[in-house]
Amino acid sequence: MSFLIRSAENRDLTAIQAIYNPEVLNGFSTWNEQPFDLKHFENLLIELKNQNFPFLVVEDTENQKIAGYADYSFFRSFTGYRHTVEHSIYVSPEYSGRGLGKLLLQSLIEHAQQNNIHVMIAGIDHENVVSIYLHEKFGFKQTGYMPQVGKKKGLWRDLVLMQLMINA
């Protein structure tokens, strides 16, 4: 199989929605409890482009399918945080274990390096040990652990905060 990382386009949004919404309904990678409609992803694409933030897809070029996506945006809306971003990475379960999260994370870091980003933050569910390990491999350090700050499916969720100094 051959994979290509590229910027998301309008034609990819239905596939992105199909990756994200099952995680909303069935998983803990996001603590959002309501699926997003296509309009949400259309607005997100416009917003990220306007802010010069990446919205990337990894495409299975042989099957012409979107296998995953990633983005980053401001960590917080205050101007003092303008050099700090928080990212998201989602890979379709069909493509799990093929290193696509690694490819997407590397691409996000490269974009951040080229765009005067100082710190990249990851907020990860405490049980997502695969994601925690992936981030550690890229040099992210755990800088916070917030017990029971979220609730999903009737369960209290702990948040692991990790960060990478991009341009130290």
Side-chain angles (χ1 to χ4, degrees):
M1 239 173 244
S2 177
F3 295 99
L4 171 69
I5 304 269
R6 61 173 175 77
S7 293
E9 301 172 4
N10 279 323
R11 64 186 169 103
D12 304 318
L13 298 179
T14 301
I16 290 168
Q17 180 186 32
I19 292 168
Y20 181 77
N21 282 343
E23 187 60 31
V24 169
L25 297 172
N26 305 310
F28 293 103
S29 291
T30 178
W31 294 349
N32 183 21
E33 297 178 303
Q34 299 299 319
F36 287 141
D37 62 15
L38 196 55
K39 187 68 176 167
H40 167 82
F41 292 102
E42 291 169 354
N43 291 337
L44 181 62
L45 179 64
I46 291 166
E47 180 182 322
L48 292 174
K49 279 186 179 182
N50 287 343
Q51 295 172 343
N52 194 34
F53 287 148
F55 194 3
L56 306 174
V57 294
V58 57
E59 181 179 1
D60 173 350
T61 56
E62 291 176 23
N63 296 307
Q64 297 181 337
K65 288 181 70 174
I66 300 302
Y69 74 96
D71 63 69
Y72 69 65
S73 187
F74 291 116
F75 171 61
R76 297 188 75 187
S77 61
F78 305 114
T79 57
Y81 292 104
R82 69 186 166 277
H83 299 288
T84 301
V85 295
E86 183 175 4
H87 70 280
S88 297
I89 299 172
Y90 292 92
V91 175
S92 170
E94 176 184 353
Y95 290 93
S96 180
R98 298 186 190 188
L100 301 183
K102 179 180 177 181
L103 292 174
L104 287 165
L105 183 53
Q106 181 63 47
S107 295
L108 290 177
I109 291 169
E110 289 171 2
H111 187 279
Q113 289 170 331
Q114 297 164 4
N115 286 277
N116 202 28
I117 299 301
H118 184 61
V119 176
M120 184 177 285
I121 294 178
I124 306 169
D125 185 277
H126 71 288
E127 290 183 352
N128 193 343
V129 294
V130 171
S131 182
I132 292 169
Y133 178 70
L134 170 66
H135 285 82
E136 288 173 343
K137 284 175 47 176
F138 276 88
F140 281 75
K141 304 292 184 211
Q142 182 175 325
T143 53
Y145 190 93
M146 302 175 73
Q148 298 185 12
V149 294
K151 193 171 192 180
K152 187 168 182 186
K153 297 183 181 184
L155 301 172
W156 287 109
R157 309 305 301 171
D158 297 354
L159 182 66
V160 175
L161 293 173
M162 302 183 79
Q163 73 180 57
L164 177 68
M165 304 297 278
I166 301 285
N167 295 318

